[in-house]
Amino acid sequence: MSYSDTELLAVVAARQLAGVTSVFAGVGVPLVAAVLAQKTRAPQLVIVVEGGSMGPRMVPGRLPYSTNEMRTAPRAQMLPGITDTFLFAQRGFLDVGFVGGAQIDPYGNLNSSVIGGYERPKVRLPGSGGANDIISLCRRVMVVTMHERRRFVPKVDFVTSPGFLSGGDSRRDAGLVFGTVSRIVTHLGTLAFDPESRRLQLESLHPGVTVQQVRDNTGFELPAPEHVPVTEPPSAEELETLRSIDPERNFLG
Amino acid sequence: MRSADFVEARRRLEAKPQSTGDKLTTLTEAVRKVRDGDHIAIGGCLFSRSPLAALMEVLRQGRRGLTLSRNLMCYEGELFMASKAVDGLMTSWFDIALPWGLSLKLREEVEGGRIRFEEWSHLGLGLRYRAGAMGVPFLPTLTMLGSDLMGVTDTKTMQCPFTGETLCLVPALFPEVALLHVHRADRFGNCQIDGYPHMDTDIAKAAATVIVTAEEIVDEEEIRRQPDRTVIPGLVVDAVVEMPYGSFPHECYGLYEADFAHFEAYTDAVKARGTGAVNDYLERYVHGVSGHEQYLALFGEEALARQRRCAEELLGPR
């Protein structure tokens, strides 16, 4: 079965949730991936959404556009207030965070605030929302994003959501005792961090993608192992389930 | 008022005449409590349980120099900017939602240096309201640390006096006014909310003046039958107004879903004609009508019924 880039991204992101107990997911592809995981490899997965929903079973074809609307609530186990939802993460209950961002740098820092300076920016973006909180407070965070050169930049214009800051122990030194950015999942492959320098390196490639192709779409130097593992292509079952979740392709494009 | 000034916030509250009496009034009268220069904290979240009817009345009454804060801010922020009613916005996110693209009005104003835009993390802002609700000057948190948000907001770090770990401190926010929309209230201002609580109870307790619109005003006995459902007591409320569809075309949990087609038409107009379309929207939906009934008539009965059906499909009958 053929598939689009976004479909591939959603499928590989969903696979990351096998064995995971809870995922704090943002709307868009991260949430679609979380719902797909719930319907395939992780039936007991508790999806947590920052508008204040824990454990919902969202309705296929009626996925939410935002984290706080009633589409996020069907069959939820609890609807806490927003602050209290985040405090479950601060206390350490929430396993994986799934976030995106307009820009990402070699240390996994994300920018969703401004292109250019904070005062009178070139482009004012929507802002953090809960991304900063999710990346600071969940046990581990995966960034789910399309892989484009304009996104993967040597230095983000603004650190909205901290990855490993300037690498090494700098994240811990800033007071971020818990949590970690574990992986970047893109439509070309997955990237992980060197355990010492905390810089990104290539971890795996999706079917048919070359190392050069990933490097061409990355605005900074990206080390790669000699033999790069290749992801299993999306199965017919994964794709059919995915398409049934978003039949109007509001999120799959 | 200076943020974190819990002493002044407490004095301001004690100086205010406190009433356990009837607070039921009209929208016009309730919104007259808003003054030029006030900080208004807006309840709900993004396009959910937004106090839109009250916000539009604030615009109709021509207030100026306001600051608006909200956890996630939707196009109501655009209407206030286009009206030149606000000097500052405080939020963690500003947009309708991803499918409708970046807010061109926000871009124009911020990129042009015409408005103060203070970005907090979602939890950071939530804890500011909570500190206000608790009557303390600040709360410690483990979020925002290490990020550039620390440099553009009034946060501080401290070494924890017990463990030595680095903490982020967010200052209490004590807004002059809270504007909230709830499902039901009695005439004394006891409020019940269905579904998402969002940040409304913290906002109500943090603010100096609390104005509530309710889908329905119910008999006080109905509140007393289910007091466990009451999330804001009448004691903290200053005015309550019956306002069916008070969030429309935003959603009200379980009652009506947001009218996404309306968002689409609005953003299409802004994309096609530029931010002048925001002013056209103001002319039609705010200044072109005398109040909420005429405003709802612009959408028509059929749209209201359709959005009620959408809510019922999702969450069952109420």
Side-chain angles (χ1 to χ4, degrees):
Chain A
M1 254 170 115
S2 64
Y3 46 85
S4 72
D5 290 346
T6 315
E7 287 176 332
L8 175 64
L9 180 60
V11 167
V12 292
R15 289 178 187 168
Q16 302 288 333
L17 296 174
V20 164
T21 54
S22 58
V23 61
F24 202 142
V27 287
V29 175
L31 191 64
V32 174
V35 175
L36 176 61
Q38 207 177 45
K39 289 186 181 297
T40 52
R41 287 155 201 253
Q44 295 306 313
L45 179 70
V46 173
I47 297 175
V48 179
V49 186
E50 69 190 76
S53 182
M54 297 183 83
R57 293 284 190 265
M58 279 168 250
V59 180
R62 302 287 288 274
L63 294 188
Y65 297 108
S66 185
T67 61
N68 44 271
E69 58 174 294
M70 63 179 99
R71 289 180 176 213
T72 316
R75 302 190 61 226
Q77 294 158 319
M78 182 179 183
L79 301 179
I82 293 168
T83 302
D84 296 294
T85 304
F86 284 114
L87 293 180
F88 283 109
Q90 181 168 281
R91 178 66 180 91
F93 286 109
L94 304 187
D95 197 352
V96 171
F98 253 24
V99 296
Q103 285 186 328
I104 181 166
D105 75 10
Y107 297 106
N109 301 306
L110 299 175
N111 174 18
S112 50
S113 299
V114 285
I115 303 298
Y118 183 79
E119 305 292 338
R120 305 200 63 158
K122 193 158 149 273
V123 183
R124 176 65 232 189
L125 301 169
S128 164
N132 172 284
D133 309 304
I134 291 172
I135 212 169
S136 301
L137 303 174
C138 288
R139 294 186 188 183
R140 59 202 162 102
V141 168
M142 292 184 216
V143 180
V144 178
T145 179
M146 297 304 278
H147 205 133
E148 298 158 324
R149 201 175 177 89
R150 65 185 176 93
R151 282 181 197 274
F152 285 73
V153 296
K155 193 173 182 330
V156 290
D157 292 348
F158 187 90
V159 179
T160 310
S161 307
F164 287 105
L165 295 175
S166 55
D169 295 328
S170 57
R171 180 182 163 99
R172 174 70 182 81
D173 293 344
L176 294 164
V177 183
F178 307 107
T180 182
V181 186
S182 60
R183 186 167 284 146
I184 316 297
V185 182
T186 82
H187 76 287
L188 297 180
T190 65
L191 313 182
F193 294 88
D194 176 87
E196 297 289 315
S197 72
R198 304 295 196 175
R199 273 186 71 99
L200 277 172
Q201 52 194 22
L202 188 61
E203 185 188 39
S204 72
L205 289 169
H206 298 328
V209 178
T210 64
V211 173
Q212 194 51 49
Q213 220 177 320
V214 178
R215 285 184 171 146
D216 289 346
N217 285 284
T218 306
F220 49 83
E221 201 187 319
L222 190 70
E226 202 174 325
H227 299 286
V228 189
V230 176
T231 317
E232 280 291 308
S235 71
E237 192 208 341
E238 283 171 318
L239 289 170
E240 279 160 16
T241 309
L242 178 65
R243 288 166 190 171
S244 74
I245 292 167
D246 184 22
E248 289 173 9
R249 306 189 73 82
N250 287 324
F251 304 95
L252 294 174
Chain B
M1 198 178 74
R2 212 153 53 88
S3 30
D5 195 345
F6 68 110
V7 176
E8 177 56 28
R10 168 81 183 237
R11 287 197 179 125
R12 189 167 67 174
L13 199 65
E14 290 191 14
K16 191 175 83 170
Q18 206 175 22
S19 156
T20 53
D22 194 331
K23 290 152 186 172
L24 192 59
T25 182
T26 62
L27 188 62
T28 311
E29 280 309 310
V31 169
R32 285 212 177 109
K33 294 178 183 296
V34 180
R35 305 282 169 197
D36 287 344
D38 278 356
H39 177 130
I40 302 177
I42 304 171
C45 181
L46 199 65
F47 53 72
S48 301
R49 228 164 24 70
S50 310
L52 277 190
L55 286 164
M56 300 224 174
E57 181 60 23
V58 173
L59 291 173
R60 236 171 259 129
Q61 292 188 10
R63 295 280 71 80
R64 286 287 184 273
L66 302 168
T67 297
L68 298 183
S69 70
R70 199 172 192 206
N71 40 38
L72 308 177
M73 201 172 287
C74 198
Y75 65 79
E76 68 280 354
E78 299 186 356
L79 302 181
F80 275 75
M81 285 189 280
S83 301
K84 304 193 187 309
V86 277
D87 293 344
L89 300 173
M90 187 184 291
T91 186
S92 75
W93 205 81
F94 190 117
D95 207 353
I96 297 180
L98 298 175
W100 295 284
L102 296 179
S103 163
L104 297 180
K105 186 65 189 170
L106 180 73
R107 287 195 56 189
E108 179 181 277
E109 295 283 317
V110 176
E111 292 162 20
R114 287 199 284 277
I115 194 157
R116 224 170 354 97
F117 187 83
E118 198 175 314
E119 180 180 342
W120 290 77
S121 82
H122 205 171
L123 175 60
L125 185 55
L127 290 173
R128 295 200 65 187
Y129 291 133
R130 180 150 301 172
M134 292 168 69
V136 298
F138 64 86
L139 278 174
T141 177
L142 309 180
T143 200
M144 291 178 75
L145 288 162
S147 76
D148 287 340
L149 294 175
M150 297 285 288
V152 298
T153 53
D154 184 17
T155 46
K156 294 188 189 305
T157 57
M158 78 175 286
Q159 303 310 118
C160 168
F162 298 100
T163 66
E165 295 289 352
T166 303
L167 304 171
C168 169
L169 308 184
V170 299
L173 190 56
F174 296 106
E176 273 81 29
V177 177
L179 288 186
L180 310 173
H181 184 67
V182 304
H183 288 74
R184 73 196 70 81
D186 65 15
R187 63 203 170 93
F188 306 109
N190 296 293
C191 300
Q192 299 185 342
I193 289 172
D194 296 345
Y196 302 111
H198 298 311
M199 296 183 181
D200 289 48
T201 57
D202 285 337
I203 291 170
K205 287 184 270 189
T209 298
V210 178
I211 300 168
V212 174
T213 57
E215 286 288 323
E216 190 186 6
I217 297 296
V218 298
D219 191 84
E220 74 166 298
E221 286 309 314
E222 192 171 329
I223 298 290
R224 289 183 188 277
R225 252 196 308 279
Q226 287 195 294
D228 54 309
R229 300 294 319 280
T230 302
V231 291
I232 300 166
L235 210 55
V236 311
V237 173
D238 296 277
V240 59
V241 181
E242 186 166 48
M243 198 52 51
Y245 294 100
S247 287
F248 202 82
H250 292 195
E251 72 163 41
C252 191
Y253 186 94
L255 296 181
Y256 45 90
E257 193 178 37
D259 187 346
F260 299 120
H262 185 80
F263 297 171
E264 184 101 8
Y266 169 69
T267 49
D268 281 353
V270 178
K271 281 172 202 159
R273 305 204 304 276
T275 51
V278 182
N279 297 77
D280 297 343
Y281 189 94
L282 274 173
E283 280 314 309
R284 180 167 162 79
Y285 289 95
V286 179
H287 302 296
V289 296
S290 64
H292 194 58
E293 243 169 66
Q294 282 189 16
Y295 165 83
L296 288 179
L298 293 175
F299 294 91
E301 283 293 333
E302 204 176 308
L304 302 182
R306 184 186 65 227
Q307 297 317 114
R308 281 195 100 93
R309 279 196 306 276
C310 290
E312 189 169 327
E313 280 165 28
L314 274 168
L315 297 172
R318 293 274 135 182

